[in-house]
Each structure stands twice: as structure tokens, then as C-alpha cells.
Amino acid sequence: MAKPLGSTGEFFRRRDEWRKHPTLSNQLRFRHAVPGLGLGVAAFCVYLVGETVYNQFYSPPHSSSSSHH
């Protein structure tokens, strides 16, 4: 059996009603419009991190002179 909300619970329930507005609840449409975007962004981030780590370990040694003749 549920406890009655009381004045505080009623206050917060009214404050959360905006979350159920139809404009805000149609977020799935955006996900269907760009399928795979999240996976692509995640894969690109993994690539960038991997390239940075690779360059840290396998970067060519820097010489003190700027001319290479």
C-alpha cells in the first residue's frame, strides 16, 4: 500500500511534470535520424586516444639542430 504523498511529494510531482511533455519525450526520433552516430563518435575517440599513446611511445627522437643536410 502506497504512502500518501503529502504536500512535499505533491510539490515535487508537479515540478517533474514538464519531463513528460510530448516535445521532450520524442527524443527517440533524433536517435533514429542519425543511427550509429554514438558508436561512430566513440570509435573516433578510441582512435584519437590510441594515436596519442602510439605517438608518445614511437615518436622519432628530436634533435637539437633544426637543419638536416
Side-chain angles (χ1 to χ4, degrees):
M1 196 158 167
K3 232 167 85 171
L5 289 174
S7 62
T8 305
E10 193 66 34
F11 171 78
F12 285 111
R13 185 167 68 175
R14 281 185 284 137
R15 293 287 181 218
D16 285 339
E17 285 179 0
W18 67 271
R19 297 174 193 261
K20 296 179 179 129
H21 192 273
T23 304
L24 298 173
S25 65
N26 289 333
Q27 295 174 357
L28 291 177
R29 289 184 187 172
F30 178 72
R31 289 184 183 168
H32 290 300
V34 286
L37 179 66
L39 182 61
V41 168
F44 185 67
C45 290
V46 169
Y47 166 76
L48 289 178
V49 169
E51 184 181 25
T52 303
V53 170
Y54 177 83
N55 287 337
Q56 289 292 325
F57 286 113
Y58 298 108
S59 64
H62 299 291
S63 64
S64 59
S65 66
S66 61
S67 65
H68 298 286
H69 293 305

